[in-house]
Every structure is written in structure tokens, then in C-alpha cells.
Amino acid sequence: MSDSRLDIRELTIGNILRRQAEHYGSKIFLTELNTGRTFTYSEINTQVNRISNGIRDLGVTHGTHVALLMLNSAENLSCFFALGKLGAVSVPINTAARGASLRYFLDQSDSEFVIVDAELLPRLVEVLDGAPKIRHVIIASAGELNSNAIEPSGHRQVAYLDRIITTSRKEDPNAQVVCSDLLLLSYTSGTTGPSKGCMVSHAAALSYGTGYIEVHGYRDTDVFYVCLPLFHNNALLAATGSALLVGGSIALAQRFSVSRFWDDVCRSGATITNFLGSISSFMWNQPALPTDRDNSLRLVSMAPTPKFAGAFEQRFGLSVMNNYGLSDFGMATAFTENSPREKLGSIGKARRGIQVRIVDDQDFEVSNGTTGEIALRAEEPWRAATGYYKMPEATAKATRNLWFHTGDRGYRDDDGYFYFVDRKKDSIRRRGENISSFEVEQTIIAHDAVTEAAAFPVKMESSDEEVGAAIVLKPGHSVSEREIIEHCQKNMAYFMVPRFIQFRLELPMTQNGKVEKYKLQEDAETFIASFWDREKAGIQLTR
């Protein structure tokens, strides 16, 4: 039941859930770490069936768009699976969204139903008058304080998920669903513009799991520690999808916590977990302990892979892997535990069934070692996302010349290993030189006093750009701007050294761990006097 090479036409949520419930029935599929609740494969499938039948009775049919405004929970996953069984379309919404941004997600996605945790219900109520397409609200985990916060009306009905689960039929809904049917709209982070809804079919969603299983050798004995939010494809598809397809188990946390991380891992016996963004640095910067290797993890995915990844492996007794992909496309490359460790930092080789090219601005392939844009193409139909919902111009631009253009810059070495350099829009253009924000950040983070750094362009009156850097120091450490400049001069080309520096207590982040650099740019260009200026300090760089 854990065969990663299933025929793509078999890849539907309903089909996989039925198969795994039959094969692994009494095995624990999911453990909620905050509540201690457990669900076997059979129990989760039964709960999914009850939700499917209950929401179908309310009017959810094949193709209905349903927003999920939910925290990490068994009910969140069950609702996602239940919608998949019906052929309905899930719209997972960032739980930090509120006001105009929440209204945008509901309206742009054409959602007709919303399933919302009671804790988040007040945010939904704030925007419902401006969301006329919503005709049904289903409240999950309804508490006394919030259960009456919204009243039914002639236009909009209210239901409760716990009642649906306890009263609906447990038989399989037996809806007709095929692998090419749209399963979810996965919204991009929107750090550089309006969030785009990536259209992901059943086959594309489940290909995350089949791909991970194949390249990383996941086993049905693996326990996946999931602490990232389920509205993100990493947690929902890469981790949960892999566990479901391989017959493994999930240890689900409500959120990532530095202080709880190792306790959760050891308590659950987790063997695999995924880091995104700054999580690697958060864990690395914790004080070293003699017991650091006393844990059950065998594989940790780090995206991006930091320079200290090799030392991280040795300190914690595990293997670091890397998986490159985008919500806009799917997973494309993999660096595995069997890849050469001297290439640690690479995003690995192309996965089976995926073509990867490095192209120039005219879409022509460049030679090995030359940096260009990473372009992707799937060799099978429905294996990748199928464009942006209601954004045909953005879809056409991204998929020109029959290749998906990632907007990421990278290069390929002579052994076929790919390396990420930076976001095409995240590079800094200074006096004719293209500067990788990623490389600047990695150099700054290598300083013993630094825990986080973000490099970004600061537009000047001359229309040129200068390098800005926002830096977070480790607790109890201090360092001057001059010392940062000296460190940078020793470790990067002179033209990459930041001109503007600001020490901050924290960086503005999305819930997915991505730095909201546009906020840093806005701060720098609006309040430039609050940034330390290398030129005003009279520091001359050595070329």
C-alpha cells in the first residue's frame, strides 16, 4: 500500500483513504500532541465519511469551493479529506488573515462555504457582510463564547461540525472523482503582490507524497512530526500526504515552538520533520547540550539549506535533506541522505518525471555553472499545478514556451546537481552587479553573534539600489555595525557588503516562516535615517 509508483489515475483522496483504511485499519494514523487524541486509519476514514455525507446534505457538491479557516487539528485534516472525497475544492486560508486580506481570499476563491474554528470566528464575522458569496458557515470546536457569534439569515445558514460528525452517515459517499479534478486552491504568500490561488488537482497534490516516498525512502514505520500550519502545502501535502501514502503516522502540533520541539519529537518518536525558513536557525542557535543526539529523528528537510547543515547533522545525529518546489508547480528536485555530503546545500537532482532547466532571459538553456532562472516541466499530465485561479495573464506569463518559470535563480553543476541562488525578484541590482540576497544573508548569519538576517534592496534617488540588511542578534550577544561590515568584507565581494544596517528584535514574518521583505524595504525607504549608513560612517571598502 506504500508503493510510490501508483498509476497517476489512481491518485484521488477518496481512493487512497479507502485503500489505506482497509490495509492499515487499526494502526494509529494521527496523534494530536496538544490533546492526546489519537485516530486510527479506520477511524479517520469513518470521520471523513461522516463529514462528507453531512456537508453534502448541506449542499456541498462536486466543484463547490469551501474555505477552511482552521488551526492544526484532526478536524482540519478530516474536512480537507472529506471535501476531496466529494470532489469539492478546499481553500485553506492563512489563519493570520483578517480584514481586507481575509475578504480577498474568500472573494477571489469564489468560496460558498466556510468551515471555521470558533477561535477564529470573530475574524470571519468582521468580513461576512462584504463576502456575499458565502452562503453557509460551519463552525468547528464551537465554544460557549463563540457559538452564538453568528446568526442564520435568509441568505446564510449556520451549522456545527461536531453535530455533523456525530449524526451523519458513516458510509463512504461514493462520489465520482478523477485524478484531474481540482482538489485545492493553494494561495501563495503574497509577499510581493496579491496572493495567487494555485490550482492543484488530486494527482498533483498526492504527487508530493509519492515523490517524497520514492526519493527519500520513507517507510510505514516512520512518524512525521508536523508543526507547520496545515494551510501550507509543506504540512498538508509534503508531510501529511507522504504519511498517508506510505502508511506512516503523524504527530501533529498546533504550531512550531522552539521550547517544545525536542520534547514533542521524543514523546512521539518522530523520525521525520520539515523545516522552513528560519526554523533551522532557531534550532541551531539553542545552547548545545550533551543530550542533543538523544532523539528519534533520522531525516530533517531544510529549505533553504543553511551553511551549518553539516554541523547540524553531527550535533543532532541525523541526516539533512532538501526538497525544492513551489505551490505554483509542485515538487521538482531532491537532495537526499544518500547524496554526496560535499554537495550539502544543493537542492539536489531532478525528480523522476520532472524536467529542470536553467534558462536565460530569452528562455534559452544556459551552460553548467551559469546562473539563470529555474524552469520546470512535468512529463505526465496533472502531475503539477495547473495555473492561477482566475488569473489567466499570470498563468500565461509563468508557463510561456511550455515551461513553468519559477522566478528563482539557480545553476546546475557538471554532476547534475542544482543550486538555488535567490529569488529573481529578490536579487539586488547595484551598479551593474546582480547581488544574491540569499548569499548576503548566509554570510551575515555565519557571524557568531547573529541569529537571523534579511538582505533587501534600498532604492536610491539615482534609481540605483543599495544593499540593506536587517539583523537579529542572539540573546546575550552584542556586535557593532562596523564589526558586521568587517565580517562581510572578509567573506564576500566588496559590492555585496551592505550599506544600510538595522538591528531588530525580530524580523516581520509570514506564518510560513518567510520574511516579509517588502515591509523592511518600506521601512528603509520611508525611515532611512533610522538605519545605520556605512557611507555616513566613513567606512571605505577594500576592493
Side-chain angles (χ1 to χ4, degrees):
M1 309 312 296
S2 60
D3 183 5
S4 62
R5 298 204 180 193
L6 288 167
D7 188 297
I8 195 166
R9 285 163 288 197
E10 299 179 68
L11 295 182
T12 69
I13 289 293
N15 185 39
I16 298 302
L17 266 175
R18 284 187 289 269
R19 290 170 54 130
Q20 301 301 66
E22 291 173 5
H23 189 74
Y24 291 105
S26 61
K27 180 179 179 178
I28 298 296
F29 169 67
L30 172 68
T31 301
E32 279 188 351
L33 294 178
N34 63 309
T35 65
R37 292 193 301 166
T38 61
F39 297 81
T40 66
Y41 273 85
S42 179
E43 288 169 341
I44 206 76
N45 187 55
T46 297
Q47 178 158 289
V48 168
N49 288 344
R50 289 187 183 279
I51 295 173
S52 293
N53 289 316
I55 62 177
R56 183 164 60 181
D57 290 343
L58 296 176
V60 175
T61 61
H62 191 287
T64 303
H65 289 205
V66 180
L68 300 176
L69 185 59
M70 304 179 75
L71 304 168
N72 283 9
S73 66
E75 285 73 22
N76 187 333
L77 280 179
S78 294
C79 287
F80 171 69
F81 291 150
L83 292 167
K85 272 201 175 187
L86 291 178
V89 180
S90 290
V91 184
I93 294 179
N94 189 317
T95 53
R98 66 187 313 158
S101 64
L102 177 54
R103 190 180 298 111
Y104 170 81
F105 287 129
L106 296 174
D107 181 68
Q108 206 279 337
S109 66
D110 291 324
S111 293
E112 299 178 55
F113 284 65
V114 181
I115 305 177
V116 57
D117 277 331
E119 182 178 336
L120 302 173
L121 183 58
R123 295 187 190 179
L124 178 65
V125 172
E126 289 175 358
V127 303
L128 272 179
D129 287 344
K133 297 175 186 176
I134 301 299
R135 56 188 177 90
H136 219 123
V137 176
I138 301 173
I139 302 173
S141 59
E144 292 182 6
L145 293 177
N146 291 323
S147 60
N148 296 318
I150 180 172
E151 295 293 336
S153 66
H155 167 65
R156 186 176 296 116
Q157 298 302 308
V158 178
Y160 297 92
L161 186 63
D162 57 350
R163 296 176 191 170
I164 291 172
I165 292 173
T166 56
T167 63
S168 298
R169 302 176 303 281
K170 66 178 182 178
E171 291 75 28
D172 195 290
N174 290 317
Q176 296 300 307
V177 181
V178 295
C179 73
S180 57
D181 283 338
L182 184 61
L183 174 65
L184 79 151
L185 295 180
S186 176
Y187 277 85
T188 60
S189 296
T191 53
T192 58
S195 296
K196 299 186 286 290
C198 307
M199 297 187 289
V200 183
S201 68
H202 282 251
L206 291 167
S207 289
Y208 279 74
T210 58
Y212 272 74
I213 294 166
E214 181 176 333
V215 296
H216 295 301
Y218 290 171
R219 313 158 186 161
D220 63 6
T221 53
D222 277 321
V223 177
F224 296 74
Y225 178 60
V226 179
C227 58
L228 296 171
L230 288 171
F231 59 74
H232 191 274
N233 283 0
N234 188 293
L236 184 63
L237 305 182
T240 300
S242 295
L244 174 66
L245 281 152
V246 82
S249 301
I250 298 165
L252 183 65
Q254 284 194 306
R255 63 185 61 85
F256 168 72
S257 167
V258 173
S259 61
R260 290 198 304 269
F261 181 86
W262 288 115
D263 286 343
D264 281 354
V265 165
C266 293
R267 181 158 55 98
S268 64
T271 57
I272 296 170
T273 196
N274 298 339
F275 289 171
L276 280 182
S278 301
I279 292 179
S280 300
S281 294
F282 291 152
M283 299 309 303
W284 176 246
N285 289 320
Q286 294 304 295
L289 298 172
T291 56
D292 278 344
R293 294 176 67 91
D294 297 338
N295 66 81
S296 53
L297 287 178
R298 67 182 186 90
L299 292 174
V300 174
S301 176
M302 291 184 174
T305 303
K307 290 185 177 180
F308 55 75
F312 193 99
E313 289 184 321
Q314 294 301 312
R315 175 178 167 183
F316 294 105
L318 45 78
S319 293
V320 169
M321 57 178 176
N322 192 349
N323 300 278
Y324 172 76
L326 308 91
S327 299
D328 319 52
F329 179 85
M331 302 312 299
T333 70
F335 184 91
T336 75
E337 63 176 327
N338 298 317
S339 300
R341 300 334 272 174
E342 65 270 17
K343 294 183 184 290
L344 191 60
S346 163
I347 57 174
K349 289 188 172 184
R351 297 182 182 220
R352 182 179 61 84
I354 302 295
Q355 298 176 26
V356 184
R357 282 185 178 178
I358 307 296
V359 300
D360 62 19
D361 289 340
Q362 300 300 314
D363 286 350
F364 291 103
E365 191 168 14
V366 300
S367 58
N368 288 347
T370 301
T371 297
E373 184 174 6
I374 302 172
L376 310 172
R377 186 159 67 184
E379 294 176 353
E380 287 185 284
W382 311 111
R383 186 69 82 178
T386 48
Y388 302 118
Y389 185 64
K390 297 197 303 187
M391 293 185 175
E393 292 182 2
T395 299
K397 181 178 179 181
T399 56
R400 65 185 182 276
N401 290 324
L402 303 181
W403 286 82
F404 178 77
H405 293 68
T406 64
D408 291 340
R409 297 169 68 244
Y411 64 91
R412 179 184 185 273
D413 70 13
D414 291 334
D415 298 319
Y417 284 84
F418 291 89
Y419 292 79
F420 172 87
V421 174
D422 60 16
R423 288 288 298 166
K424 196 172 182 181
K425 293 182 179 179
D426 197 20
S427 61
I428 303 166
R429 183 76 172 175
R430 181 182 182 274
R431 300 181 186 178
E433 298 282 1
N434 284 316
I435 299 169
S436 165
S437 299
F438 179 77
E439 291 180 5
V440 174
E441 291 159 0
Q442 290 298 301
T443 298
I444 295 174
I445 290 170
H447 192 286
D448 291 339
V450 176
T451 184
E452 293 179 85
F456 51 90
V458 179
K459 293 182 180 179
M460 308 303 291
E461 291 182 0
S462 62
S463 77
D464 199 8
E465 294 177 340
E466 291 284 358
V467 181
I471 299 171
V472 180
L473 299 181
K474 296 177 182 176
H477 287 69
S478 63
V479 65
S480 69
E481 291 90 351
R482 286 180 176 271
E483 289 173 299
I484 293 292
I485 296 301
E486 291 172 3
H487 169 75
C488 289
Q489 266 211 283
K490 293 176 182 177
N491 294 285
M492 64 173 67
Y494 76 91
F495 59 82
M496 299 173 66
V497 176
R499 173 177 169 180
F500 298 102
I501 291 177
Q502 184 184 62
F503 291 119
R504 301 171 68 108
L505 294 177
E506 60 182 8
L507 300 179
M509 296 275 194
T510 69
Q511 280 196 274
N512 303 334
K514 294 181 180 179
V515 178
E516 295 176 308
K517 291 191 178 181
Y518 72 95
K519 291 184 178 179
L520 297 174
Q521 289 177 254
E522 289 174 357
D523 284 351
E525 291 165 13
T526 306
F527 308 105
I528 194 63
S530 67
F531 282 71
W532 181 86
D533 185 344
R534 169 172 48 79
E535 292 192 0
K536 286 185 178 180
I539 297 177
Q540 299 293 319
L541 299 180
T542 303
R543 299 198 174 195

